[in-house]
Amino acid sequence: MEPKGDIAVIGLAVMGQNLILNMNDNGFTVVAFNRTVSKVNDFLDGEAKGTNIIGAQSVEEMVANLKRPRKVMLMVKAGEVVDKFIEMVLPHLEEGDVIIDGGNSHFPDTIRRTKMLEEKGMLYIGTGVSGGEEGARKGPSIMPGGSPKAWPLVKDIFQAISAKTDSGEPCCDWVGENGAGHYVKMTHNGIEYGDMQLICEAYQLMKEGLGLSTDEMHEVFTEWNKGELDSYLIEITRDILGYKTEEGEVVVEQILDTAGQKGTGKWTGISSLDLGVPVTLIGEAVFSRCLSALKDERVAASKVLKGPGTSFEGDKKVFVKDIEKALLASKLVSYAQGYMLLREAAKEHGWNLNYGGIALMWRGGCIIRSTFLGKIKEAFENNPDLHNLLLDDWFKGVIDDCQASWRKVVQEAIRLGIPVPAFTTALAFYDGYRNPRLPANLLQAQRDYFGAHTYERLDKPRGEYFHTNWTGRGGNTSASTYTV
Ligand code: 6PG
């Protein structure tokens, strides 16, 4: 009998199960497999009852049920587990078959795996899948990269199950070669970290600075979600602030203030340092999580270290509006930085990224989905060579409109002693980026003074290096001019 399976999915944790059910809803025949085989039976007797999903009891059975070229998708924990499953499946596949990794893998692993599989005549896809459990079930944002020849083989499945924009476009398209898909997903997560941190800073300002109650903040977020900030993260924050137990207790206020992290934000920060791109806001967002994790130290320090002892004295309603604007302006900077990173990574890895297309992929289904992403897409449509989003007319207009409020919020936070690292770094980046003369001339002089590291001059062509014998003792020998 001819095999019926369009695709196999290995890994029946909630993301895997939901993706399978989503594929089934869209008319594809999915073969489900899990290393602990009892989970396959549980799934078939439970969620998958009455569907066309085929359960496999072994890798052999899974493969035998697949149409050629076979497509096997791994929905397993990122890291070594992915390599283990590739090893397990590989002997059963043949040339032209595709392995797909749908976890949050680190992009260098995906680059390595693509190469390894292609050398064996197979195809590989490393794809970001964003949107959590609900997204996987109803339509995630899907960011596939890897072997270009694999894309036409999975395109129909992926675009069918993905989220759609309001105008019906799928939030899934080919990102680029080898690790490009996972790189874009990693950057998505970094931006997610930034958005979450900005929202948390707004919350702390309203709570500690203005003394607003959670009910009042619930109202504020309800309003914000109707404006430019309209997004999934603002929406869930609204709902979290409005969520109470049956006894009327506000759950968010019962949660320990210690953030966890699985690593994708950290990877974004590391990659930005490697590539020399100032992705400062995501960096601060990661460090803020680290600082939050030092709960015991902070509690001890709070008994010793004093703040300014000032309180807010202005109009609270006006200041809430200022915070909204500061949040929007900072968010714009964060996305501009994220796109700067993508541009540099594309150069480094030889990826031909479609920047507007990436915004479209993030427009629906994923955690950072928002109306604002439509503006990024428009910016790249208006100017495909746009070097920095901040230079786009819409971005520039919003920042002009928000700037006074943004500065006021940062000043007031500093005056009140409330930490707003993401708001602050966004503003510092903005002021640095728009400044034609930064104090790095002095820094170069210092480097040349103590280490003869040389400097370039304003009045000479770039690439010519000079050394000054600052002390009259060091001689005229300069250190080599390499840069890391
Ligand atoms: C998504 C999320 C998803 C996940 C992150 C959370 O796009 O659906 O980003 O990938 O929720 O792993 O990351 P942290 O645990 O690091 O916050």
Side-chain angles (χ1 to χ4, degrees):
M1 216 174 61
E2 280 296 300
K4 289 205 187 69
D6 294 304
I7 187 167
V9 175
I10 299 182
L12 295 182
V14 65
M15 285 293 285
Q17 287 198 13
N18 283 355
L19 220 56
I20 294 173
L21 292 166
N22 183 351
M23 288 172 180
N24 176 76
D25 288 349
N26 279 283
F28 298 102
T29 305
V30 191
V31 185
F33 178 65
N34 196 77
R35 198 164 39 172
T36 311
V37 179
S38 60
K39 271 206 157 184
V40 177
N41 301 329
D42 293 347
F43 181 49
L44 290 182
D45 294 340
E47 294 286 324
K49 210 179 178 93
T51 66
N52 292 328
I53 297 163
I54 302 169
Q57 308 290 316
S58 65
V59 176
E60 290 82 350
E61 193 186 335
M62 176 190 82
V63 171
N65 271 296
L66 285 174
K67 294 179 200 160
R68 288 187 164 82
R70 304 176 186 99
K71 295 145 210 109
V72 177
M73 182 161 188
L74 307 176
M75 289 302 295
V76 299
K77 199 169 176 278
E80 269 176 48
V81 181
V82 174
D83 292 307
K84 291 264 174 322
F85 274 104
I86 292 175
E87 262 171 51
M88 190 166 142
V89 174
L90 207 53
H92 304 277
L93 298 182
E94 56 193 37
E95 249 187 72
D97 288 348
V98 192
I99 296 182
I100 304 141
D101 168 20
N104 264 335
S105 290
H106 198 197
F107 72 95
D109 288 335
T110 306
I111 293 177
R112 168 177 60 78
R113 289 171 187 144
T114 307
K115 185 165 180 286
M116 191 265 284
L117 268 289
E118 285 181 351
E119 278 167 4
K120 293 184 194 304
M122 318 269 176
L123 303 172
Y124 192 71
I125 289 183
T127 183
V129 178
S130 177
E133 297 168 22
E134 197 184 319
R137 184 69 186 86
K138 296 187 184 151
S141 160
I142 308 180
M143 298 152 247
S147 314
K149 280 190 194 147
W151 176 230
L153 306 176
V154 297
K155 185 176 175 194
D156 287 349
I157 303 179
F158 281 10
Q159 292 196 334
I161 64 165
S162 75
K164 308 289 177 298
T165 63
D166 292 342
S167 44
E169 294 140 303
C171 296
C172 168
D173 207 346
W174 184 245
V175 178
E177 295 197 18
N178 52 61
H182 273 140
Y183 195 92
V184 166
K185 174 60 167 58
M186 176 195 80
T187 307
H188 161 283
N189 279 28
I191 292 175
E192 170 187 308
Y193 271 54
D195 277 355
M196 291 167 80
Q197 176 62 25
L198 287 169
I199 291 172
C200 289
E201 290 177 13
Y203 155 76
Q204 197 175 12
L205 270 175
M206 287 191 273
K207 187 174 130 182
E208 283 186 12
L210 306 183
L212 297 195
S213 67
T214 37
D215 282 343
E216 286 169 317
M217 288 187 280
H218 167 74
E219 287 306 317
V220 170
F221 276 91
T222 305
E223 283 312 306
W224 287 1
N225 203 41
K226 294 176 188 159
E228 302 276 23
L229 288 173
D230 175 5
S231 61
Y232 173 71
L233 284 169
I234 294 283
E235 183 187 312
I236 65 165
T237 307
R238 172 199 69 195
D239 295 348
I240 289 167
L241 289 165
Y243 193 90
K244 295 187 182 139
T245 61
E246 276 174 14
E247 293 73 41
E249 283 170 286
V250 182
V251 175
V252 71
E253 297 308 337
Q254 298 172 330
I255 297 177
L256 183 74
D257 50 320
T258 289
Q261 48 182 323
K262 295 209 188 82
T264 44
K266 181 180 83 177
W267 293 341
T268 315
I270 292 172
S271 180
S272 72
L273 288 171
D274 282 342
L275 295 171
V277 185
V279 185
T280 58
L281 199 144
I282 295 173
E284 284 294 354
V286 176
F287 287 133
S288 296
R289 290 195 189 195
C290 300
L291 182 58
S292 80
L294 305 177
K295 174 77 176 175
D296 294 345
E297 265 184 75
R298 288 189 287 112
V299 171
S302 71
K303 300 190 174 106
V304 183
L305 305 176
K306 295 268 169 293
T310 45
S311 54
F312 182 79
E313 275 156 11
D315 181 326
K316 289 186 187 177
K317 265 212 166 90
V318 172
F319 196 66
V320 166
K321 191 78 205 153
D322 289 327
I323 299 176
E324 182 183 9
K325 290 190 170 191
L327 179 41
L328 182 59
S330 305
K331 186 178 161 99
L332 260 54
V333 166
S334 179
Y335 282 67
Q337 291 183 341
Y339 270 83
M340 286 167 73
L341 181 64
L342 289 178
R343 185 179 289 279
E344 218 38 49
K347 232 191 269 167
E348 172 80 10
H349 297 285
W351 297 325
N352 181 20
L353 299 183
N354 172 355
Y355 300 105
I358 291 169
L360 184 74
M361 268 184 266
W362 293 346
R363 181 69 188 79
C366 66
I367 304 294
I368 63 170
R369 63 184 179 262
S370 66
T371 36
F372 152 78
L373 280 158
K375 297 292 182 192
I376 298 186
K377 182 163 179 287
E378 273 172 35
F380 285 109
E381 265 166 12
N382 295 340
N383 177 7
D385 298 324
L386 182 66
H387 194 71
N388 192 302
L389 279 170
L390 293 175
L391 303 175
D392 170 74
D393 284 346
W394 183 83
F395 271 71
K396 194 182 154 308
V398 173
I399 298 236
D400 286 347
D401 175 50
C402 294
Q403 187 166 165
S405 294
W406 195 10
R407 292 188 190 281
K408 191 171 145 196
V409 166
V410 169
Q411 278 170 23
E412 187 59 16
I414 289 170
R415 205 183 64 79
L416 294 171
I418 297 173
V420 285
F423 282 141
T424 312
T425 198
L427 186 54
F429 174 86
Y430 178 72
D431 284 335
Y433 189 69
R434 63 177 192 83
N435 195 325
R437 182 119 170 107
L438 289 172
N441 52 328
L442 174 58
L443 191 133
Q444 286 295 79
Q446 291 165 335
R447 293 177 68 238
D448 191 53
Y449 187 112
F450 62 66
H453 293 295
T454 74
Y455 52 84
E456 292 168 277
R457 289 182 57 96
L458 284 170
D459 56 351
K460 298 283 182 203
R462 294 295 307 265
E464 257 184 67
Y465 291 89
F466 298 87
H467 169 60
T468 294
N469 183 357
W470 299 92
T471 59
R473 293 189 300 274
N476 287 318
T477 317
S478 59
S480 67
T481 53
Y482 78 95
T483 34
V484 182

